[in-house]
Amino acid sequence: MRLRTGAVLAVLTAGLVVSAIAGLALGPVRIAPDRVLDIVVGGLSGNRPTGAFASIVWDVRMPRILLGAVVGAGLAVAGTVLQALVRNQLADPFLLGASFGASAGAVLVIVFGTAAAGFGMGVPLAAFVGSMAALVAVYAMARRGGTMTTGRLILAGVAVQYILSAFTSLVLVLAARPDQIRSVLFWTLGGLGGARWDELALPTVSLLVGGVLLLTLARPLDLLLTGEEGAHTLGLDTGRFRAAVFLLTSLVIGVLVACSGAIGFVGLMVPHAARMVVGAGHRALLPVAALGGAVFLILADLIARTAAAPEEIPVGVVTALVGGPFFLWMLRRSSRTEGVTG
């Protein structure tokens, strides 16, 4: 299994490099891959080339590629952890309302920023609060009666999504300035077009710290897969552990959504695909999901900005077009074994 996991990680790393080069080379302005490599190597060595191509690669596309990799990896890791916490492979930051909650909190600060600033709330903090509130609400509704089923989880997530979507629409109506309306639309559809070098530090640190902490919790996450009684027998305080990991996961989701808007289905599809390759053990599953999420979102963003060039499609639309049918397929599979009405 270790050899298999190592091979998968090596393939995904190579895929990440190839997808990054493709993302830097392709777009409304196409640049030869060898020229891209010269610009990147020169920039990393401190001898950055000048000219239009260098500016496009280094100032426009490179921050976008890096943000896509960070957000994709973070959403995939968050989805993997949420699926373990609720013991359901249909769990996802988007489907459970976490992304909608983060977007709603961020939009509230964008539109009513003056009032929010008086309480010391920035966009990332508001996104975190919204993400945490949405996750707690869905979890509480889905676990009513002490049990949790696929149907109840999905219905709770859909209900929270509708409420938060209606709230965001209300804020959109109240937004008086055109720049605010554009910002709200960005949060609801997701996008990487606003990526800048000076905004990469926070999501990168959030992913690295959160990812390392979650990786150290791989064994307790594995214990959750045995069920409540099995985890208790093996010495895990499931209540406290779930609360702590929910808090950590919400923090990661909130920061990422604060930078990219609500991008759905990455945390659903990638963990499921990774689990099919390396199994359910989180020590191998988490890094594989992180690399897979990074590759997937970079490629999705590449499609988003080239499919209708020079117009750009929000990357959340691309991931939804892929993730919607995937979700229906998974829902059909789960309904055969447990039903969705319980």
Side-chain angles (χ1 to χ4, degrees), residues 108-187:
L108 185 64
V109 173
I110 289 172
V111 176
F112 303 107
T114 302
F119 297 94
M121 291 184 65
V123 172
L125 178 59
F128 164 63
V129 172
S131 172
M132 185 65 184
L135 276 177
V136 170
V138 171
Y139 183 75
M141 288 188 288
R143 198 169 172 77
R144 183 180 177 184
T147 60
M148 182 184 298
T149 65
T150 299
R152 193 177 295 162
L153 184 70
I154 293 172
L155 291 175
V158 170
V160 170
Q161 285 185 43
Y162 273 119
I163 293 171
L164 294 173
S165 179
F167 172 79
T168 304
S169 298
L170 176 62
V171 173
L172 179 61
V173 172
L174 296 177
R177 300 201 309 267
D179 61 317
Q180 290 180 337
I181 295 175
R182 287 193 297 270
S183 296
V184 172
L185 290 176
F186 161 78
W187 285 104

Side-chain angles (χ1 to χ4, degrees), residues 146-312:
T147 60
M148 182 184 298
T149 65
T150 299
R152 193 177 295 162
L153 184 70
I154 293 172
L155 291 175
V158 170
V160 170
Q161 285 185 43
Y162 273 119
I163 293 171
L164 294 173
S165 179
F167 172 79
T168 304
S169 298
L170 176 62
V171 173
L172 179 61
V173 172
L174 296 177
R177 300 201 309 267
D179 61 317
Q180 290 180 337
I181 295 175
R182 287 193 297 270
S183 296
V184 172
L185 290 176
F186 161 78
W187 285 104
T188 57
L189 298 175
L192 304 174
R196 299 188 312 184
W197 281 106
D198 58 355
E199 295 177 351
L200 290 174
L202 181 60
T204 302
V205 171
S206 174
L207 172 64
L208 291 177
V209 174
V212 169
L213 290 176
L214 290 172
L215 189 60
T216 63
L217 300 175
R219 184 176 179 276
L221 289 171
D222 289 342
L223 293 180
L224 284 180
L225 301 180
T226 66
E228 295 284 339
E229 293 184 3
H232 272 299
T233 302
L234 294 172
L236 180 65
D237 187 339
T238 56
R240 290 185 178 180
F241 179 74
R242 274 198 173 96
V245 177
F246 259 121
L247 182 66
L248 176 59
T249 307
S250 297
L251 177 59
V252 174
I253 295 171
V255 172
L256 295 178
V257 175
C259 299
S260 66
I263 300 175
F265 297 102
V266 178
L268 173 70
M269 295 183 290
V270 175
H272 184 74
R275 200 175 288 111
M276 294 174 64
V277 177
V278 297
H282 287 84
R283 188 169 297 279
L285 182 60
L286 287 172
V288 169
L291 281 174
V295 173
F296 174 75
L297 194 55
I298 289 174
L299 294 177
D301 184 58
L302 178 60
I303 294 173
R305 55 190 174 87
T306 58
E311 297 297 326
E312 182 175 318

Side-chain angles (χ1 to χ4, degrees), residues 22-31 36 55-67 195 301 305:
L24 293 173
L26 300 178
V29 177
R30 299 201 172 193
I31 306 172
V36 168
S55 179
I56 291 173
V57 169
W58 198 258
D59 296 328
V60 178
R61 294 181 182 173
M62 181 68 80
R64 185 169 186 152
I65 296 297
L66 293 176
L67 181 61
D301 184 58
R305 55 190 174 87

